[in-house]
Amino acid sequence: MPRHVAIIMDGNGRWARKRLMPRVAGHSRGVEAVRNTIRSCIDRGIPYLTLFAFSSENWRRPADEVSFLMQLFLRSLQKEIERMHANDIRFRVIGELSRFDAPLVKLIRDAEETTANNTTLVVTIAANYGGRWDILQAVEKMLAAKPGKTSNFSESELAAQLALSYGPEPDLFIRTGGEQRISNFLLWQLAYAELYFTNTLWPDFDDAELAKAIDWYQGRERRFGRTSEQLTEASGKEGAAKSSGNA
Ligand code: IPE
Ligand code: IPE
Ligand code: MG
């Protein structure tokens, strides 16, 4: 099972347009897909789920769509936070929150605080998030932490300052809606994720769709730079150690 699933929830607008409805109707339906996906992750024992809800580039959309999305975020959070807490979900938001209205920021911070000690599933929403912004703010924090130091920084020092530093890197990346691009999502952390693309539009994404992605993921050989032979050899040794009781 992947420990961390990260999803670009794309295709809401097209889902609505196909039904001759306004684009924003697709966003509303998308919230249901979020709820179902959270449930599926809990049922499958996946401990980290990260969802791209609004990119730093999405401010370029028509003003009424942006404000609808902000309202939807606020209302959904108000409605769902108690249920998330009751289900032992820890809620986090990553992204540049300074551009959001004060009441929304307060709601987010309160929700994070309320759910801080929950452990069954960590749900992270990426909102006004961009991978490049994240790397840049991490570099600045890393430098500020070591005044005067200008060289010999390690990858782990930088990774520790990334917005998602509290979780493991995603094992499985999913993008719905048919596009095959990263759109400035978790640039640093996707270095070794398995990338799964589906034409299914986000409002149609459900447990069966997640199951397909996980099946595909489980068929991948994750080599991390090694050869296939090395991996076979290592798992052979591990198996032998286990069966002789030395594991
Ligand atoms: C994803 O769906 C949701 C957000 C980016 C907020 P889109 O709104 O991008 O839907 P399409 O890609 O236009 O169909
Ligand atoms: C990516 O979707 C961002 C989110 C899903 C929040 P977009 O629909 O904005 O991506 P592009 O513009 O097609 O790359
Ligand atoms: Mg889109």
Side-chain angles (χ1 to χ4, degrees), residues 8-10 52-55 58 61 175 181 183:
I8 297 187
M9 310 183 287
D10 197 20
F52 204 5
F54 193 86
S55 76
N58 286 145
R61 293 192 178 199
R175 182 171 186 146
R181 55 180 172 247
S183 297

Side-chain angles (χ1 to χ4, degrees), residues 46-93:
I46 295 168
Y48 291 88
L49 173 67
T50 300
L51 301 167
F52 204 5
F54 193 86
S55 76
S56 29
E57 289 74 30
N58 286 145
W59 295 105
R60 296 173 184 159
R61 293 192 178 199
D64 53 351
E65 181 169 340
V66 171
S67 85
F68 182 93
L69 282 166
M70 293 301 150
Q71 281 304 314
L72 185 63
F73 193 13
L74 189 79
R75 276 188 285 119
S76 306
L77 196 51
Q78 280 167 337
K79 202 168 143 225
E80 300 295 333
I81 197 64
E82 262 176 55
R83 199 178 345 188
M84 285 202 271
H85 190 37
N87 283 290
D88 198 36
I89 293 168
R90 183 173 174 195
F91 175 80
R92 299 291 304 255
V93 172

Side-chain angles (χ1 to χ4, degrees), residues 52-198:
F52 204 5
F54 193 86
S55 76
S56 29
E57 289 74 30
N58 286 145
W59 295 105
R60 296 173 184 159
R61 293 192 178 199
D64 53 351
E65 181 169 340
V66 171
S67 85
F68 182 93
L69 282 166
M70 293 301 150
Q71 281 304 314
L72 185 63
F73 193 13
L74 189 79
R75 276 188 285 119
S76 306
L77 196 51
Q78 280 167 337
K79 202 168 143 225
E80 300 295 333
I81 197 64
E82 262 176 55
R83 199 178 345 188
M84 285 202 271
H85 190 37
N87 283 290
D88 198 36
I89 293 168
R90 183 173 174 195
F91 175 80
R92 299 291 304 255
V93 172
I94 55 170
E96 209 175 354
L97 290 189
S98 56
R99 241 184 118 171
F100 291 157
D101 290 344
L104 180 55
V105 176
K106 178 160 173 22
L107 193 65
I108 289 169
R109 293 303 176 216
D110 287 351
E112 288 181 328
E113 209 174 301
T114 306
T115 63
N117 297 318
N118 297 342
T119 55
T120 298
L121 171 67
V122 181
V123 171
T124 300
I125 303 291
N128 193 19
Y129 178 87
R132 290 177 178 174
W133 162 81
D134 196 5
I135 292 171
L136 195 58
Q137 66 83 31
V139 168
E140 285 180 0
K141 281 191 191 151
M142 183 181 77
L143 292 172
K146 298 265 172 70
K149 182 171 169 175
T150 55
S151 59
N152 292 318
F153 286 100
S154 66
E155 290 182 8
S156 57
E157 275 176 286
L158 193 145
Q161 303 295 350
L162 291 167
L164 199 55
S165 60
Y166 51 84
E169 291 179 6
D171 303 295
L172 172 59
F173 160 95
I174 299 172
R175 182 171 186 146
T176 62
E179 312 297 347
Q180 304 199 353
R181 55 180 172 247
I182 307 286
S183 297
N184 200 15
F185 195 26
L186 303 161
L187 297 180
W188 176 282
Q189 297 95 331
L190 290 176
Y192 265 107
E194 299 296 330
L195 308 178
Y196 178 85
F197 298 94
T198 171

